Amino acid sequence: VLQSSSSLKAPYEDWLLTYGLSISPFHMRWQTALFNRQFYNWGRWKPKFLYLWFSMGMVFGIVAMFGSVILLGKTLMQTLTQMLTEAPRAQNDRMLQVVVSVLSSGLYVRVVPGVNLPVSQLTYFFSAILISGVIHEVGHGVAAIREQVRFNGFGIFIFIVYPGAFVDLFTTHLQLISPVQQLRIFCAGSVWHNFVLGVASFMVLFLLPAILFPFYYTGVGALVTEVAEDSPANGPRGLFVGDLVTNLQDCPVYNVEDWNSCLGDISEKSQVGYCVSAATLQQLSFPARVYRRLDGTVECCSNNSLTDICFSYSNKLDSHMYACLPARKVIEASKVCRTNMDCQKDFVPSFCLTPSLENQTRLIRVKHPPHIDMLYVGHPMHLQYTVSLSSFVPRQNFLSIDLPVVIETFCKYLISLSGALAVINAVPCFALDGQWILNSFLEATLSSLIVEKQNRELVGFLILLAGSALLAANVALGLWMVTAR
């Protein structure tokens, strides 16, 4: 609108030029020379160290370029195999999901804020993208100054909603230096620095218990940090923020990993039973009508009951007995069992009572002392998805229970997105850093074998064409597998 106005067009364009702004549909860019002195200071700091650092990055970038092609080729074959197979193997599924996530995160084509990325995670996501992009471009800029290429400026951009960064280098200087020098520049940010950032984030994540040891302790349970409003764990006898979960059934919980592992085991295995003496069973049970549900399981309690559960057990006379019993009285202070043999003690007649629930539904006893145990009836994964926990317990009440979670989550996003940038930019593909890495590599290695520059450029073009097709096929088929299936 401003550009279409005859009176406002010139002032508007002058204002953009003054502040280094560039605005176009879905894209806004800001470039500045304010940081040029800092970049030059970095590029001239310890020349021998920087030479060794960027030489390591060059070797790593070349290896990553070949490795990315092998990875994409293997992934494409696995994806095609899954498309032709009705029941793909679980291992392939996991590998496909990892690779597709890396590819799509790097290209920003799958992650749609608010759709398949939780809104609460948007800050982590965009911050990690921006930091990964800035580290990426700082690597290019410092390496260029180290190789005597003129540095014009640094900037950031927003494409639709995704942030990024860039550096402006003097193209003529870049073309005049040797192919090996070019490789140091192209590999520095595109692969090497993003890889280093991912490793550094992983180390922080791995050492976080030691880093936060003076303020938080671990290994005592899983601390509840959030309970969703629609969670079945909500309620007067449910879980609350600040509760420390120590057991799920007879499975001890020392951290979040144990919580997830215990829920996975409970989901995969059959429902456990509880030892109840014959006298207690006779005292608590009352006559009830028995009927079968649609899935074949048996129900013997009123649908309106919020405290009673139908239990099944066997005795010497009849192997299929059912009793509607108050769940809390049966479970509390009861031993977990699988068969009646597990309950024989002190010659007291006892039975192993198993909750008669619908398929995939489980009765789970959650211990969070000093509170009364929570009895959960439902799918274990629903409990996992609606309750957020942390392995870090504050040593003092004034310490935030969310700080370790924030650090953990941010590190995981940095590892994922920085790693995605490293993998994607190593691919010999048009418009990616892999294009320039390949061209410089061919110039450095094939000059004596292929004398004509045009022939070397033709070889590079064919490789780039194949790499671009390979990357596009992986992303297209991967996204189709994720969405269509």
Side-chain angles (χ1 to χ4, degrees):
V1 173
L2 292 173
Q3 287 181 337
S4 64
S5 172
S6 57
S7 59
L8 296 177
K9 180 180 179 180
Y12 170 67
E13 293 180 343
D14 290 341
W15 180 80
L16 292 178
L17 185 62
T18 301
Y19 290 98
L21 292 170
S22 175
I23 300 176
S24 59
F26 310 111
H27 186 270
M28 183 169 65
R29 189 174 76 163
W30 172 70
Q31 181 176 339
T32 181
L34 292 174
F35 307 108
N36 285 20
R37 181 179 296 275
Q38 184 61 53
F39 270 90
Y40 276 101
N41 290 337
W42 287 337
R44 293 165 181 168
W45 177 76
K46 295 187 181 299
K48 292 184 179 180
F49 171 78
L50 289 181
Y51 173 79
L52 178 61
W53 178 257
F54 291 126
S55 295
M56 291 170 57
M58 176 185 67
V59 174
F60 181 83
I62 294 172
V63 173
M65 179 178 65
F66 290 103
S68 65
V69 173
I70 296 173
L71 174 64
L72 290 180
K74 186 175 180 180
T75 306
L76 182 62
M77 294 301 297
Q78 290 184 338
T79 306
L80 292 174
T81 301
Q82 289 185 18
M83 292 176 64
L84 300 176
T85 305
E86 292 184 0
R89 292 182 300 176
Q91 182 178 0
N92 288 347
D93 281 340
R94 288 195 295 270
M95 181 168 186
L96 172 69
Q97 291 170 0
V98 170
V99 173
V100 168
S101 297
V102 169
L103 293 177
S104 56
S105 297
L107 293 179
Y108 315 133
V109 294
R110 177 190 171 201
V111 180
V112 182
V115 178
N116 48 14
L117 179 72
V119 176
S120 60
Q121 304 284 302
L122 290 180
T123 302
Y124 299 111
F125 179 73
F126 289 125
S127 299
I129 288 180
L130 182 60
I131 291 176
S132 299
V134 168
I135 296 297
H136 178 111
E137 297 301 331
V138 166
H140 283 318
V142 174
I145 293 172
R146 168 65 183 76
E147 302 299 336
Q148 305 299 316
V149 175
R150 194 174 81 186
F151 181 85
N152 295 328
F154 169 83
I156 59 176
F157 67 87
I158 297 178
F159 177 67
I160 306 180
V161 294
Y162 297 102
F166 65 92
V167 290
D168 183 13
L169 305 178
F170 191 53
T171 307
T172 304
H173 284 184
L174 196 59
Q175 294 172 344
L176 292 175
I177 61 177
S178 69
V180 175
Q181 289 178 297
Q182 292 176 2
L183 277 173
R184 292 195 191 100
I185 296 173
F186 296 140
C187 294
S190 61
V191 181
W192 180 236
H193 277 197
N194 282 125
F195 171 75
V196 171
L197 176 61
V199 171
S201 302
F202 177 80
M203 292 302 297
V204 172
L205 186 63
F206 180 75
L207 297 174
L208 195 58
I211 295 172
L212 297 179
F213 180 77
F215 311 101
Y216 298 84
Y217 54 89
T218 58
V220 295
L223 184 69
V224 178
T225 59
E226 183 182 2
V227 181
E229 291 185 3
D230 60 343
S231 173
N234 246 329
R237 293 194 176 180
L239 297 176
F240 295 91
V241 173
D243 287 355
L244 191 65
V245 178
T246 58
N247 283 84
L248 292 174
Q249 301 286 44
D250 57 342
C251 183
V253 175
Y254 299 106
N255 49 45
V256 176
E257 288 73 22
D258 289 342
W259 163 274
N260 294 328
S261 177
C262 290
L263 285 177
D265 289 342
I266 292 172
S267 178
E268 293 175 2
K269 297 178 181 178
S270 59
Q271 173 72 58
V272 297
Y274 303 91
C275 294
V276 177
S277 65
T280 303
L281 177 61
Q282 184 177 6
Q283 178 185 359
L284 294 178
S285 63
F286 54 88
R289 185 172 65 90
V290 176
Y291 62 92
R292 292 191 178 274
R293 303 186 184 97
L294 294 177
D295 61 357
T297 58
V298 173
E299 177 62 86
C300 61
C301 290
S302 169
N303 292 332
N304 298 325
S305 176
L306 298 177
T307 58
D308 300 335
I309 288 180
C310 182
F311 288 86
S312 65
Y313 64 99
S314 61
N315 57 24
K316 296 180 180 179
L317 299 177
D318 191 344
S319 60
H320 297 285
M321 300 287 291
Y322 298 93
C324 184
L325 304 171
R328 189 167 295 277
K329 290 183 179 180
V330 170
I331 293 175
E332 287 183 343
S334 297
K335 176 184 174 183
V336 174
C337 59
R338 292 286 179 181
T339 65
N340 287 341
M341 294 296 296
D342 299 331
C343 301
Q344 301 307 317
K345 185 179 179 182
D346 298 331
F347 303 101
V348 177
S350 298
F351 301 100
C352 184
L353 273 63
T354 303
S356 179
L357 302 171
E358 294 177 290
N359 289 339
Q360 305 301 322
T361 301
R362 298 288 185 271
L363 171 59
I364 304 174
R365 178 170 55 181
V366 182
K367 290 184 176 293
H368 54 126
H371 307 288
I372 190 173
D373 294 352
M374 181 186 78
L375 301 184
Y376 167 81
V377 178
H379 197 289
M381 292 302 103
H382 194 194
L383 183 62
Q384 184 178 24
Y385 294 145
T386 58
V387 179
S388 300
L389 303 104
S390 172
S391 300
F392 296 84
V393 181
R395 293 183 181 273
Q396 303 294 334
N397 292 332
F398 64 85
L399 293 173
S400 171
I401 64 175
D402 295 321
L403 178 60
V405 177
V406 170
I407 298 175
E408 278 186 315
T409 307
F410 187 61
C411 285
K412 290 176 181 177
Y413 270 92
L414 274 180
I415 294 169
S416 175
L417 294 174
S418 188
L421 282 176
V423 172
I424 291 299
N425 280 287
V427 179
C429 173
F430 292 110
L432 296 177
D433 286 341
Q435 174 182 356
W436 315 114
I437 295 174
L438 175 68
N439 290 337
S440 300
F441 177 75
L442 294 179
E443 287 295 320
T445 56
L446 297 183
S447 297
S448 58
L449 298 177
I450 304 177
V451 180
E452 294 291 333
K453 184 177 179 61
Q454 291 182 345
N455 293 336
R456 294 196 299 271
E457 291 178 347
L458 178 60
V459 172
F461 174 80
L462 294 176
I463 296 175
L464 289 173
L465 193 62
S468 301
L470 183 62
L471 178 61
N474 268 277
V475 174
L477 292 180
L479 291 176
W480 182 86
M481 290 288 288
V482 171
T483 56
R485 299 185 64 173

